[in-house]
Amino acid sequence: MLPKIKLSFLFFFMLLIISLGLGSCQQDTVCDCAGVDEVYSNDFSKSDLSNIENGRLLVFQRDTLLGNYNNEEVSLTLQQLPKHNIVRVTVELWVHDSWDGNPDNAIGGPDFWYMKVEGEEVMRTTFSNTPCESTFCPRQSYPHDYFRQNFPKTGAIRTNIPGLCHLANQPNNTTVYRITKLVKHADQKVRITLGDQLLQTNSPNPKCDESWSVGKIEVATLFVM
């Protein structure tokens, strides 16, 4: 018979393992413990716009992107999904030129970007490409939903890319983000919509002033007990 102190340590160790295991299943990076099926992956390198509504392609910095968009929506529809109760959507978002983030005025913002699943908005946030200077620092909401006050480019995976149009050839004016959302969903068909509400009333060409593109879209279904 093991001493009580050893039994207590063994019991504590087993509880620790179980709690870590349960916690890991809640992270989308390790949710294969509950079952993951990748149902769609497209980096647009093959110019494939199947199942995409309002799709168009742009070659920028040697990458083929879906875009660019300004005050528009683009939708992806997938059918015959495997049995699931969660859908995971990952988007590589390219934010071009002079996004102003949170400022709420009649000229330049807020600059919104959003995601919908089956017509229901699951994310609404803002981005700022405007660098902070002295007391002037237009904040963004990402990586949170609007309204939060985060510094420009918070959560970005790349920041050293020139602008696309208005700020073309000027460094650090396209910013790339990798956005992942887990959404409750159980139907065999899913419609994912990406869109924006950009405001730049003092520009003769708003799309050249600020726009967005997509470098990659990945969709996976999960069955979580």
Side-chain angles (χ1 to χ4, degrees):
M1 186 173 181
L2 292 173
K4 288 184 178 181
I5 188 169
K6 289 187 176 180
L7 285 173
S8 299
F9 177 78
L10 181 61
F11 180 70
F12 172 78
F13 184 70
M14 290 176 66
L15 281 179
L16 179 63
I17 292 175
I18 291 171
S19 64
L20 289 174
L22 290 175
S24 68
C25 290
Q26 297 172 13
Q27 303 297 319
D28 66 336
T29 54
V30 290
C31 269
D32 55 341
C33 57
V36 177
D37 290 298
E38 184 178 81
V39 295
Y40 182 84
S41 181
N42 192 348
D43 65 0
F44 308 104
S45 60
K46 296 181 180 179
S47 302
D48 181 11
L49 293 176
S50 303
N51 306 315
I52 295 178
E53 181 181 324
N54 195 31
R56 56 178 177 267
L57 297 174
L58 163 75
V59 177
F60 175 62
Q61 294 290 297
R62 298 183 180 180
D63 283 295
T64 301
L65 308 177
L66 179 69
N68 59 324
Y69 297 99
N70 174 289
N71 280 292
E72 296 179 78
E73 290 186 343
V74 57
S75 296
L76 168 68
T77 301
L78 301 173
Q79 304 192 51
Q80 298 181 331
L81 301 180
K83 186 177 180 180
H84 65 284
N85 55 17
I86 299 287
V87 65
R88 184 179 70 199
V89 183
T90 300
V91 176
E92 183 185 272
L93 178 68
W94 294 51
V95 175
H96 305 295
D97 299 307
S98 64
W99 286 55
D100 301 298
N102 287 337
D104 191 356
N105 55 59
I107 297 175
D111 284 333
F112 289 114
W113 185 87
Y114 58 83
M115 180 191 301
K116 298 177 182 177
V117 175
E118 297 296 344
E120 181 177 348
E121 199 167 88
V122 298
M123 182 178 194
R124 172 172 286 265
T125 192
T126 60
F127 295 97
S128 175
N129 263 349
T130 306
C132 294
E133 295 181 4
S134 185
T135 59
F136 180 72
C137 186
R139 305 297 179 93
Q140 67 179 41
S141 291
Y142 188 83
H144 302 96
D145 280 343
Y146 183 79
F147 172 79
R148 290 289 292 271
Q149 295 277 27
N150 295 314
F151 284 105
K153 303 178 184 290
T154 297
I157 61 172
R158 291 181 65 188
T159 61
N160 59 339
I161 309 171
L164 172 65
C165 188
H166 171 58
L167 297 173
N169 302 318
Q170 297 187 37
N172 300 316
N173 282 294
T174 288
T175 309
V176 183
Y177 299 86
R178 183 175 174 86
I179 301 169
T180 298
K181 295 296 290 184
L182 294 170
V183 183
K184 290 182 179 180
H185 182 275
D187 295 338
Q188 288 188 322
K189 176 182 176 181
V190 66
R191 180 178 175 86
I192 299 160
T193 300
L194 312 176
D196 73 272
Q197 291 176 336
L198 296 176
L199 183 65
Q200 198 64 55
T201 58
N202 62 352
S203 172
N205 187 348
K207 186 175 180 179
C208 186
D209 190 90
E210 49 194 21
S211 65
W212 57 278
S213 303
V214 174
K216 189 173 186 178
I217 302 177
E218 298 172 320
V219 182
T221 56
L222 291 66
F223 190 79
V224 180
M225 303 297 289

